[in-house]
Amino acid sequence: MSGYPPPYPPPGPPYGPPNPQDLKYQRRILRDQYRYQRRALRRRSIVGPILVVLIGVIFLLIQTGHVGRGSFWMWYGQWWPLLLVAVGVIVLIEWAIDQRRTPNPQLPYARRSLGGGVVFLVVLFALAGPVSRGIQNGHRFFSHGLPFGPDNFDELFGNKHESDESLSQAFPSDAVLNVDNPHGDVIIAGTSSDNQLHIDVHRQVYSRSDADAESKARELTPHISSTGRLVSVTLPPLNGAIADLTITLPSAASVTVTANHGDIRLNSLNAPVTVTANHGDIDLSSIKGAVVAHINNGGSSLSANNITGTLSIEGHGQDLAVSNIDGTLNLSGDFYGATHLERITGAIKYHTSRTDFQLARLDGEMEISPDADLSIDKAVGPVVLTTRNRNITFDRVSGDVSISNRNGSVDLTSAPPLGNVTVQNRNGSVSLTLPDKSAFTVSAETSGGDMENDFNLASQQDSNRKTLNGTVGKGGSLIRINTSQGDVSVRKASIAPLPAAPPRPPAPPAVSIKGEDGSSVYIGKDGVQIIDGADGSSVIAGKDGVHITDKADGGSSYRSPNGTQLIEAANGSKSLLSVDGTRYVEGADGSKSYQGPDGTVIDISASGRRTTTGPAGRSLSDKEVTTILSRMKDTVRRVEQQRDAERKSNRAGKNNDE
């Protein structure tokens, strides 16, 4: 018995004055029992399980490719308030059910509870909606409401002051205009017939004092400078101040425009054009010359019409409309809204994070809707399309066609002359309509679907796999179809051929201008621009968005066709910014800095002191740090080689033309 704990002490006598400490203890025990009883009777809301199931279903659809990640966040950024509405409706229904129940008078009233975890999830997803919308709209988190940022406080709380100003100066018809406007729209038209540059400025200044408004208005006068044949128009960045520019100049002038916060509209120009809009729309029309457009805001749109020459578009935006292009179209980026292409006489190269597409000529229209449908009418091959999660409709497409898709149907009507057709599909049906007098060899296969054809060819079946093989007429074109979980049909119809392409206009001649001070401006037939300053500096705006700037002090900057940027300072330091968000800096003093898209951070000071953070906050080993820095050094070297090759190639083209 010695191993057992001692017995409890006997209770005190039932008489005598009460002990205040015992009463306090008893009240605490009763209170804790009451709370425990209420907690045990509390019913959990069904909101939590519904949210968990919903999140799991969404992640599963994204992981399996049935829903695009970008499309989902674009949709959620617009409709996220429905989440709060759904949660409120569920809680209201549960409250109504509880009211209809007959309460037990012997037990305390038990209410429903969401729980801290569910509240956290609701708040997290409610915050994710405006953030997603803000990213698409260039960090303007409420695109139809109030913008946030240091530049907007005066606009929110100050009074609006407006003023106008007009400027003019001589402008040779073959000069080059460069415009940089940090806050405001830029409208340029090549309608000046007096060899003058005309600038109309409409200023909007937001300030709480008239004196401050007048001071800012004076600073917003455009600064015009000339270096040889290069004329630059610049405005200072001022908080709470907007300057809209309307410029007319001779139509033969080449134009480069950069607008940080504002729209760009160009028309009636007969020379190459380069435009960059960071937070605004782009509208281009009636331009005879190569056009390079950069759009960098998910909520902005780009429109281009009546362009003679190569049109290159880079970046990301909302809607895209391109029509009547007498030249090639190169597009690299993502447009989350509707895409409309119409009548493009040259080749099309269309690359996004979801779709790779090429064709030789577009006589009709091409539509990509926000709900993922892709349709083409009247096009000439070879056509190569690689995509996913789309319903594809090709109507009257001639020549070779190659389509790779999954999670969507493919409907193709080929126009004569019939070329080779290859369709690789997964989880979707394939319907192919061929000219009734075609000669071809077909090899088709489907798993989990039916096989039909109008050419009296016998199909074979092995378990759930069906195949169709045979030759129609004398053979010739090869038709290959492979799909799963979908039907395959090969039909015939009377299809008229597409009209012949109209003759293409001759390319504009190359232009080379040399100034008396040693500066020069070169504009190539393909739109390449090379500007050499008298101080030894140079700017090369090459094809496919290549941009090289060599400064007089030895510094340089380079932007590759895929958007990678390399900046070298005069002191020898180098900065690399990749399209995936990777940043790498080599200091002139030997220091190094790295920031990766996975959250990895490496800082090495000139003295060799290291500070490292890996993914999820873990520390990095010396081997991992060495591997990352060695890889980045190799990347810098490759980008430098690419830059040097681009510089040499563009210079060689200039020398050949001269």
Side-chain angles (χ1 to χ4, degrees):
M1 297 297 292
S2 61
Y4 289 92
Y8 289 104
Y15 52 85
N19 189 344
Q21 294 184 352
D22 291 341
L23 293 177
K24 183 183 296 185
Y25 173 76
Q26 293 175 5
R27 285 197 299 269
R28 186 169 69 251
I29 293 298
L30 291 175
R31 185 170 62 250
D32 291 343
Q33 290 178 348
Y34 180 76
R35 289 177 178 176
Y36 177 80
Q37 188 178 27
R38 284 180 58 88
R39 191 177 296 112
L41 292 174
R42 185 179 300 169
R43 294 188 294 273
R44 291 291 183 181
S45 173
I46 200 174
V47 171
I50 290 178
L51 278 179
V52 173
V53 171
L54 180 62
I55 294 171
V57 170
I58 291 173
F59 285 169
L60 179 62
L61 292 176
I62 294 176
Q63 187 70 21
T64 57
H66 288 78
V67 175
R69 185 179 290 105
S71 300
F72 167 75
W73 286 113
M74 180 190 69
W75 178 89
Y76 184 75
Q78 182 176 4
W79 299 103
W80 67 270
L82 290 178
L83 173 66
L84 301 182
V85 174
V87 171
V89 169
I90 294 174
V91 173
L92 185 62
I93 292 175
E94 291 176 337
W95 176 83
I97 293 175
D98 292 341
Q99 294 300 312
R100 294 178 62 88
R101 290 181 177 179
T102 303
N104 188 347
Q106 303 299 325
L107 298 175
Y109 175 75
R111 60 183 178 86
R112 290 186 184 267
S113 173
L114 288 177
V118 177
V119 173
F120 173 77
L121 280 179
V122 172
V123 173
L124 180 64
F125 276 83
L127 292 175
V131 170
S132 175
R133 188 63 174 175
I135 292 174
Q136 298 170 32
N137 290 280
H139 306 289
R140 294 172 67 97
F141 289 94
F142 296 91
S143 58
H144 299 288
L146 298 177
F148 289 91
D151 296 345
N152 304 113
F153 288 108
D154 289 333
E155 184 174 345
L156 292 175
F157 302 108
N159 297 320
K160 183 178 181 180
H161 301 76
E162 296 185 82
S163 61
D164 297 293
E165 183 180 5
S166 296
L167 305 172
S168 297
Q169 88 168 33
F171 190 88
S173 60
D174 53 1
V176 177
L177 176 67
N178 181 76
V179 180
D180 189 351
N181 188 8
H183 294 282
D185 301 339
V186 178
I187 303 174
I188 299 179
T191 56
S192 176
S193 58
D194 56 0
N195 289 331
Q196 291 277 324
L197 175 68
H198 303 279
I199 303 176
D200 293 329
V201 187
H202 178 69
R203 292 181 286 248
Q204 302 176 51
V205 177
Y206 296 86
S207 178
R208 283 167 285 185
S209 69
D210 294 341
D212 181 61
E214 292 178 1
S215 175
K216 287 184 176 180
R218 286 192 298 269
E219 293 184 58
L220 276 181
T221 298
H223 175 67
I224 305 175
S225 61
S226 300
T227 303
R229 296 288 182 175
L230 176 63
V231 179
S232 298
V233 177
T234 58
L235 286 158
L238 298 177
N239 294 340
I242 300 172
D244 296 329
L245 301 179
T246 301
I247 301 174
T248 59
L249 73 169
S251 61
S254 178
V255 175
T256 300
V257 181
T258 301
N260 192 33
H261 290 275
D263 301 336
I264 298 176
R265 291 192 290 274
L266 274 63
N267 66 84
S268 304
L269 294 169
N270 299 332
V273 166
T274 301
V275 295
T276 301
N278 293 323
H279 301 90
D281 300 335
I282 295 177
D283 189 345
L284 309 168
S285 63
S286 301
I287 297 175
K288 295 181 180 179
V291 176
V292 178
H294 304 274
I295 185 167
N296 302 314
N297 182 16
S300 299
S301 300
L302 188 147
S303 174
N305 182 41
N306 292 330
I307 308 295
T308 302
T310 300
L311 173 60
S312 300
I313 301 172
E314 294 183 354
H316 59 281
Q318 184 69 17
D319 297 327
L320 174 67
V322 177
S323 60
N324 299 321
I325 308 299
D326 290 325
T328 61
L329 171 62
N330 300 314
L331 187 145
S332 178
D334 286 292
F335 287 84
Y336 307 106
T339 296
H340 176 83
L341 309 180
E342 181 178 353
R343 207 195 73 76
I344 299 172
T345 61
I348 297 177
K349 295 181 180 179
Y350 183 97
H351 172 73
T352 69
S353 59
R354 182 175 174 182
T355 302
D356 277 305
F357 180 71
Q358 297 181 24
L359 57 78
R361 191 178 84 233
L362 180 63
D363 294 345
E365 299 178 344
M366 172 178 169
E367 293 275 357
I368 301 179
S369 63
D371 57 1
D373 289 342
L374 188 153
S375 63
I376 295 177
D377 177 33
K378 300 177 185 177
V380 177
V383 178
V384 180
L385 171 63
T386 302
T387 188
R388 64 184 185 274
N389 307 323
R390 295 192 187 277
N391 295 319
I392 300 169
T393 303
F394 282 10
D395 189 15
R396 295 185 65 189
V397 177
S398 67
D400 294 343
V401 178
S402 177
I403 299 175
S404 177
N405 184 41
R406 68 174 185 262
N407 304 321
S409 62
V410 176
D411 189 345
L412 169 62
T413 300
S414 292
L418 177 64
N420 298 323
V421 177
T422 301
V423 179
Q424 295 284 341
N425 198 22
R426 189 172 68 184
N427 299 329
S429 62
V430 177
S431 177
L432 178 60
T433 303
L434 304 176
D436 50 6
K437 297 181 181 180
S438 299
F440 57 89
T441 300
V442 62
S443 175
E445 178 181 341
T446 179
S447 300
D450 295 329
M451 183 77 68
E452 298 180 356
N453 75 93
D454 291 345
F455 294 92
N456 297 322
L457 298 174
S459 61
Q460 294 79 37
Q461 180 172 357
D462 181 10
S463 184
N464 68 334
R465 175 175 172 268
K466 294 182 179 180
T467 59
L468 178 68
N469 298 283
T471 300
V472 176
K474 297 181 180 180
S477 300
L478 180 59
I479 309 298
R480 294 180 179 178
I481 302 173
N482 190 304
T483 189
S484 62
Q485 306 303 321
D487 301 335
V488 173
S489 63
V490 182
R491 306 296 185 185
K492 63 180 178 180
S494 178
I495 305 172
L498 298 178
R504 299 185 63 181
V511 177
S512 182
I513 305 169
K514 296 183 179 180
E516 297 178 356
D517 57 356
S519 62
S520 66
V521 175
Y522 163 79
I523 302 173
K525 298 177 181 179
D526 53 0
V528 173
Q529 302 178 39
I530 301 178
I531 303 173
D532 293 323
D535 57 356
S537 63
S538 69
V539 176
I540 299 176
K543 296 180 291 185
D544 300 329
V546 171
H547 198 278
I548 305 173
T549 300
D550 294 316
K551 299 180 180 179
D553 60 1
S556 68
S557 64
Y558 168 67
R559 183 179 62 227
S560 70
N562 68 354
T564 298
Q565 299 182 46
L566 176 64
I567 301 174
E568 293 190 27
N571 62 1
S573 64
K574 301 176 182 180
S575 300
L576 177 73
L577 175 61
S578 299
V579 292
D580 62 355
T582 300
R583 295 177 180 269
Y584 175 69
V585 179
E586 290 183 0
D589 56 359
S591 61
K592 294 181 177 63
S593 175
Y594 169 84
Q595 295 181 6
D598 60 352
T600 299
V601 177
I602 300 174
D603 286 314
I604 301 179
S605 65
S607 61
R609 181 178 179 182
R610 294 186 177 185
T611 302
T612 64
T613 303
R618 68 177 182 86
S619 60
L620 297 175
S621 64
D622 292 342
K623 183 178 180 181
E624 289 176 315
V625 172
T626 302
T627 301
I628 292 173
L629 296 182
S630 177
R631 185 178 71 246
M632 294 308 303
K633 192 170 184 178
D634 291 340
T635 302
V636 170
R637 184 168 57 252
R638 289 195 301 270
V639 174
E640 288 176 335
Q641 293 173 350
Q642 184 179 2
R643 175 201 60 194
D644 296 341
E646 294 281 2
R647 185 190 289 120
K648 183 178 179 181
S649 175
N650 286 286
R651 290 287 181 183
K654 174 186 176 183
N655 294 334
N656 292 334
D657 288 340
E658 292 179 343

